[in-house]
Amino acid sequence: MRTTAKPSAVKHYSSPGSRVFDTLNVIVLGGLALITVLPLLYVLAGSFATEGEIRARPFFLWPENFVTSTYAFIFANDTLLRAMITTVVVTAVGTVLQVTLTFTMAYPLAKRYLPGRTLVLNLVIFTLVFGGGIVPTYLVVRDLGLLDSYWALILPLAINPFYLIIVKSFFQELPQALEEAARIDGCNEMGVFLKIVLPLSKPIIATFSLFYAVGIWNDYMSPLLYINDNQKWTLQVLVRQLTSPDAANAIGALDSAAFFPAQGLKFAVVVIATLPILCFYPFLQKHFAKGVLIGSVKE
């Protein structure tokens, strides 16, 4: 009876220098992780602490008296709720629109037979190097009548040229035989795009949806420049106003209430502004690792 020998496991021999490097690497990266995480934990703990404890204790990771009055104040306040709802709606609509425009522009540019393709690609690459600047962009938004409009937060950043080039490269790597088979079956270009290309693009759709959503959610400059009505403030502008040295003006914009936790409110608003994006990462993790490099290199 003939037997095949199993391959022996590869032994890893580490030198003293590599062990020292690994130890230092763990120490340095662990220290950087603590530097990153500890402020977040402090803000989270402070949002559940009383005002007296926040003033008395310069740093803590667990409050002595666990209270939720700050969050109760936030969800009972029309200004803060309005800012949260505005940010969620603008992020959702903007992400759908930006992903749609990016993918529908990248797909035809991936076709080498498209007339004028080189000119359009050169113009896209040109915008990666040169930008119009804040003042010209503001003038365009003003002349289009978009000031104090939520569209001013979406349309000026509708297509990211860097994302567009990556998506175009991904479309170019898809097997042409699939598209040709779909055309033989009677699909037109729109049918090929919707029924063949998009189902194969789920990882990259998830990745760039996340990128666009984070960009819109964290956008502070656009609402600061284009939104003058404080009733249309997004959450990031409200966070900036509440955490600035001149927070009294923002506090005055809030609806009157019997309870106002000044410092705890700042912590709680920061937590609310950060938590939604952190919650999205676990659901997109399986697509994120694969999609982040798709289209960037050729196999």
Side-chain angles (χ1 to χ4, degrees), residues 12 56 64 114 126 190 268 285:
H12 176 70
E64 294 179 352
L114 179 71
F126 181 84
M190 185 60 68
Q285 181 67 29

mmCIF file of all heavy atoms in Angstrom, residues 12 56 64 114 126 190 268 285:
data_model
loop_
_atom_site.group_PDB
_atom_site.id
_atom_site.type_symbol
_atom_site.label_atom_id
_atom_site.label_comp_id
_atom_site.label_asym_id
_atom_site.label_seq_id
_atom_site.Cartn_x
_atom_site.Cartn_y
_atom_site.Cartn_z
ATOM 1 N N HIS A 12 9.375 28.341 12.156
ATOM 2 C CA HIS A 12 9.763 29.744 12.091
ATOM 3 C C HIS A 12 10.867 29.997 13.111
ATOM 4 O O HIS A 12 10.679 29.802 14.312
ATOM 5 C CB HIS A 12 8.554 30.643 12.383
ATOM 6 C CG HIS A 12 8.908 32.097 12.421
ATOM 7 N ND1 HIS A 12 9.255 32.802 11.299
ATOM 8 C CD2 HIS A 12 8.981 32.970 13.464
ATOM 9 C CE1 HIS A 12 9.527 34.048 11.636
ATOM 10 N NE2 HIS A 12 9.368 34.168 12.932
ATOM 11 N N ALA A 56 -14.963 68.174 38.900
ATOM 12 C CA ALA A 56 -14.096 67.763 40.012
ATOM 13 C C ALA A 56 -13.001 66.798 39.574
ATOM 14 O O ALA A 56 -11.900 66.822 40.133
ATOM 15 C CB ALA A 56 -14.940 67.117 41.115
ATOM 16 N N GLU A 64 -18.681 57.957 38.557
ATOM 17 C CA GLU A 64 -19.107 57.492 39.879
ATOM 18 C C GLU A 64 -20.630 57.403 39.940
ATOM 19 O O GLU A 64 -21.183 56.463 40.516
ATOM 20 C CB GLU A 64 -18.578 58.430 40.959
ATOM 21 C CG GLU A 64 -17.054 58.415 41.098
ATOM 22 C CD GLU A 64 -16.579 59.364 42.157
ATOM 23 O OE1 GLU A 64 -17.423 60.153 42.683
ATOM 24 O OE2 GLU A 64 -15.375 59.355 42.482
ATOM 25 N N LEU A 114 -15.270 54.423 -26.454
ATOM 26 C CA LEU A 114 -16.128 55.598 -26.244
ATOM 27 C C LEU A 114 -15.489 56.834 -26.872
ATOM 28 O O LEU A 114 -14.349 57.185 -26.549
ATOM 29 C CB LEU A 114 -16.341 55.824 -24.747
ATOM 30 C CG LEU A 114 -17.206 57.032 -24.380
ATOM 31 C CD1 LEU A 114 -18.665 56.773 -24.739
ATOM 32 C CD2 LEU A 114 -17.088 57.340 -22.884
ATOM 33 N N PHE A 126 -7.204 66.275 -14.288
ATOM 34 C CA PHE A 126 -6.862 67.684 -14.049
ATOM 35 C C PHE A 126 -7.450 68.178 -12.730
ATOM 36 O O PHE A 126 -6.804 68.927 -11.992
ATOM 37 C CB PHE A 126 -7.368 68.541 -15.210
ATOM 38 C CG PHE A 126 -7.054 70.001 -15.072
ATOM 39 C CD1 PHE A 126 -5.822 70.490 -15.472
ATOM 40 C CD2 PHE A 126 -7.993 70.883 -14.554
ATOM 41 C CE1 PHE A 126 -5.517 71.840 -15.343
ATOM 42 C CE2 PHE A 126 -7.703 72.228 -14.427
ATOM 43 C CZ PHE A 126 -6.459 72.713 -14.818
ATOM 44 N N MET A 190 -27.666 49.507 -20.725
ATOM 45 C CA MET A 190 -28.233 49.697 -19.406
ATOM 46 C C MET A 190 -28.522 48.368 -18.732
ATOM 47 O O MET A 190 -28.295 48.196 -17.523
ATOM 48 C CB MET A 190 -29.505 50.543 -19.497
ATOM 49 C CG MET A 190 -30.102 50.900 -18.139
ATOM 50 S SD MET A 190 -28.972 51.860 -17.096
ATOM 51 C CE MET A 190 -28.914 53.393 -18.025
ATOM 52 N N ALA A 268 -21.782 64.424 25.099
ATOM 53 C CA ALA A 268 -22.845 63.597 24.537
ATOM 54 C C ALA A 268 -23.047 63.870 23.048
ATOM 55 O O ALA A 268 -23.268 62.943 22.258
ATOM 56 C CB ALA A 268 -24.147 63.838 25.299
ATOM 57 N N GLN A 285 -17.567 45.388 6.990
ATOM 58 C CA GLN A 285 -16.201 44.914 7.128
ATOM 59 C C GLN A 285 -15.847 43.849 6.088
ATOM 60 O O GLN A 285 -14.757 43.853 5.521
ATOM 61 C CB GLN A 285 -15.993 44.349 8.549
ATOM 62 C CG GLN A 285 -14.584 43.848 8.825
ATOM 63 C CD GLN A 285 -13.571 44.967 8.841
ATOM 64 O OE1 GLN A 285 -13.904 46.097 9.181
ATOM 65 N NE2 GLN A 285 -12.344 44.678 8.452
#
